[in-house]
Amino acid sequence: MFENLSMKRDEVEKYLGGRSFEQAKDEYDREGYMIFENVLSEEMLERIKSAAKPYLDENVAGRNDFEGLKSNRLYALVEKAPVFAELAMHPLALGFAEADLGRHCLLYAYLAINLHPGESVQPWHYDDSHCDVALPRKNWSVSTFWAIEDTTDVNGATEIIPRSHLWGEEEMNGAILENTFSDKRMKDVDEDPGARVDAIKATMKAGSFMVAKGTLWHRGGANKSDGTRFIITPQYCAGWVRSLENFSLSISRETAAQCPERVQELIGYDIYPPFKGYVDGMHPKRLLKTV
């Protein structure tokens, strides 16, 4: 398997608690997600928090019920600090992303989400829905979730429905609707039209990691605590899928030129074989040589 991936087997398997990657991948394929505890060091967590703090201090709230009217969302993270480029190419995240999507996968979206006290539940959704092809089918994206602070039962831990990546088309109470992105009504923290007995809360200690298939149903939980819940979620897609975030515009060419080569590829300075993504008939990486 690893002959087709960009990292070595030992770089990934050191996080798997003695399992082989194939064993972990079997569980991931069956359940649709996996959680790994204590992946990031305290030093890395502090670097991430310090880099995010100036932007979180602006306290820009979400614009609708999906983003969260009591949440902060930070986009274009690679442009904001080098530590976010490092996180995007973490071997554990890329191991699962590339195994699912291929060596030429791209970043699909890359954002930080900070839930404040009183934030209500997010609508149920799956991140692959933007591909707009009926289920069931293979996932064409992979979502990862890094807990920068503890995510708990009460502060809004992501809620998931195990094995829902295998479902066909579903109509769900509390699912995302066409008007979700225009809904600016502040919901009560206890209001939950989508409560389900088959859902679980993905609680994680700071520094832990969750990976989920893009077809797995999930939502952000309600924050009923008196503190924040801060996660960072790099999402990846197959190289032939258009990214949700337009990284070629949100990340300057000067910043891209300073990124590690693998991150340059993830944000679009790559081709999907044989030549999808070329610029003026040539490989897009040549543009970075002129910066």
Side-chain angles (χ1 to χ4, degrees), residues 1-266:
M1 175 177 288
F2 279 82
E3 62 271 15
N4 298 318
L5 306 186
S6 68
M7 72 291 297
K8 297 180 175 61
R9 178 179 289 273
D10 62 342
E11 292 178 313
V12 179
E13 291 189 336
K14 69 180 182 179
Y15 299 104
L16 303 184
R19 287 176 294 182
S20 70
F21 182 73
E22 287 76 10
Q23 290 171 323
K25 181 68 163 53
D26 284 346
E27 179 179 337
Y28 167 67
D29 288 341
R30 182 176 64 253
E31 300 297 325
Y33 77 100
M34 289 192 77
I35 294 175
F36 301 89
E37 299 290 347
N38 304 314
V39 178
L40 298 181
S41 67
E42 289 294 333
E43 185 268 341
M44 183 64 163
L45 288 172
E46 288 306 313
R47 289 178 62 203
I48 291 169
K49 290 176 185 176
S50 295
K53 187 177 186 305
Y55 303 99
L56 293 178
D57 284 349
E58 295 176 7
N59 196 26
V60 177
R63 294 163 289 186
N64 50 56
D65 186 43
F66 185 84
E67 286 192 324
L69 298 170
K70 290 188 177 181
S71 296
N72 314 125
R73 289 192 168 216
L74 306 182
Y75 298 98
L77 291 182
V78 174
E79 180 68 24
K80 289 177 168 59
V83 69
F84 297 120
E86 294 178 39
L87 193 61
M89 56 182 289
H90 191 282
L92 188 56
L94 280 185
F96 283 94
E98 292 185 11
D100 251 5
L101 307 170
R103 169 65 176 78
H104 295 278
C105 63
L106 301 171
L107 272 173
Y108 192 43
Y110 191 8
L111 61 153
I113 306 174
N114 188 45
L115 271 61
H116 287 269
E119 182 60 273
S120 57
V121 290
Q122 194 182 34
W124 287 108
H125 63 283
Y126 59 95
D127 291 332
D128 231 19
S129 62
H130 305 279
C131 296
D132 200 24
V133 176
L135 301 172
R137 59 168 169 76
K138 183 187 185 303
N139 61 298
W140 294 327
S141 71
V142 168
S143 295
T144 66
F145 305 79
W146 293 99
I148 309 305
E149 300 173 335
D150 292 352
T151 72
T152 70
D153 283 337
V154 295
N155 76 356
T158 302
E159 298 180 21
I160 60 175
I161 306 176
R163 304 195 180 196
S164 59
H165 66 300
L166 303 174
W167 291 357
E169 295 295 306
E170 296 285 333
E171 292 187 7
M172 294 175 56
N173 291 332
I176 194 168
L177 299 171
E178 288 186 8
N179 66 353
T180 296
F181 295 100
S182 60
D183 185 356
K184 302 182 185 300
R185 180 178 64 91
M186 187 73 72
K187 294 190 299 187
D188 184 89
V189 70
D190 292 318
E191 182 181 344
D192 187 3
R196 297 180 62 96
V197 297
D198 55 352
I200 65 172
K201 294 184 178 182
T203 58
M204 297 188 288
K205 291 289 188 182
S208 299
F209 168 83
M210 180 171 71
V211 59
K213 289 183 180 284
T215 45
L216 188 81
W217 285 89
H218 66 281
R219 65 179 183 175
N223 189 348
K224 301 180 181 181
S225 75
D226 57 3
T228 58
R229 187 227 67 174
F230 183 37
I231 67 168
I232 293 182
T233 173
Q235 302 169 15
Y236 306 83
C237 65
W240 51 269
V241 175
R242 184 178 182 184
S243 300
L244 282 178
E245 186 168 351
N246 192 329
F247 293 105
S248 62
L249 294 178
S250 66
I251 299 170
S252 68
R253 196 179 300 178
E254 290 75 17
T255 296
Q258 300 303 313
C259 287
E261 183 179 17
R262 187 67 186 105
V263 175
Q264 293 172 352
E265 295 170 346
L266 288 170

